[in-house]
Amino acid sequence: MAWGSHIFHIMLNWVLPERCPCCGAINPAGGPFCVSCWRNLEFLGPPWCCGCGTPFEFDRGDDAYCALCIAHPPLHDGIRAAVKYDDVSAQVVLRLKYGGKIGLARAIARQLVRHLPDDHTDLIITPVPSHWARMWSRTFNQSALIGQELAALSGIPFVPDILVRHKRTPTMRGLDVRRRKKAVGGAFAVLP
Ligand SMILES: [Zn+2]
Ligand SMILES: [Zn+2]
């Protein structure tokens, strides 16, 4: 999107009444989502795999891994998602990333903050960096926006420049897991 139309789009969002980020309906309730979409969002939480966050049908304890994580132990300490990724939640992401609805970053952070560890000692929040060309076309990094909101809500320091991006990755939309893995391979590094 060119600069001019992008600014125009942001201004329209500001002037026109608040719309539900999922379905686009005018939202008289004033919350981030209309009542119907709020009901259709599938919020995630324990019991779940302590590695990948896949929900369990019954509680296996806080340290339980799913079969996939046991077979391929993750290199991270755990991934958490606030909602299940489906047609409804995908609309939220798309409207933030491509629709310029930057206010959604706060709505997303509000759902994520409850999944942070209780002990905030030695924690920092850092976003995955955007490629400069994408920053140029989109003017913002959605990951940094959510990170800033999450830091404000939790009190955890926000440190934006820990990761560097070595290459531009293709858009992830429509790619399966294998292609996504290949696309981001070697794309990021930690600054020395
Ligand atoms: Zn809606
Ligand atoms: Zn797992």
Side-chain angles (χ1 to χ4, degrees):
M1 198 185 294
W3 266 98
S5 64
H6 193 81
I7 291 167
F8 179 66
H9 192 79
I10 289 172
M11 283 182 70
L12 270 184
N13 281 340
W14 183 60
V15 172
L16 294 175
E18 199 51 50
R19 287 176 181 274
C20 170
C22 293
C23 66
I26 290 175
N27 189 9
F33 304 99
C34 77
V35 175
S36 142
C37 288
W38 182 260
R39 276 202 209 109
N40 286 326
L41 282 169
E42 195 175 317
F43 292 94
L44 302 177
W48 53 9
C49 167
C50 70
C52 66
T54 297
F56 290 146
E57 286 194 6
F58 55 91
D59 198 349
R60 303 182 193 176
D62 292 343
D63 305 328
Y65 284 99
C66 72
L68 211 62
C69 286
I70 291 170
H72 307 280
L75 299 174
H76 49 73
D77 290 333
I79 292 173
R80 295 291 174 261
V83 293
K84 182 181 169 188
Y85 189 74
D86 54 20
D87 290 347
V88 183
S89 58
Q91 284 305 314
V92 181
V93 178
L94 293 178
R95 284 183 195 232
L96 170 63
K97 283 176 81 169
Y98 305 106
K101 298 276 291 177
I102 56 177
L104 279 175
R106 176 164 295 177
I108 292 170
R110 279 203 197 112
Q111 300 309 317
L112 283 171
V113 72
R114 62 198 158 96
H115 297 309
L116 291 175
D118 294 331
D119 182 5
H120 291 176
T121 318
D122 297 334
L123 286 187
I124 54 163
I125 293 174
T126 193
V128 174
S130 276
H131 189 266
W132 65 267
R134 203 160 280 158
M135 281 287 283
W136 180 254
S137 63
R138 208 184 281 159
T139 70
F140 64 87
N141 171 6
Q142 74 281 351
S143 168
L145 288 179
I146 296 169
Q148 278 171 318
E149 295 289 353
L150 203 52
L153 290 170
S154 64
I156 298 173
F158 178 72
V159 189
D161 50 3
I162 287 185
L163 295 175
V164 284
R165 181 184 280 266
H166 286 315
K167 66 175 188 186
R168 185 172 184 179
T169 49
T171 175
M172 297 287 145
R173 234 185 318 177
L175 296 187
D176 60 21
V177 174
R178 193 178 57 81
R179 288 201 178 91
R180 284 180 183 223
K181 263 189 187 170
K182 196 172 167 218
V184 295
F188 305 102
V190 179
L191 272 180

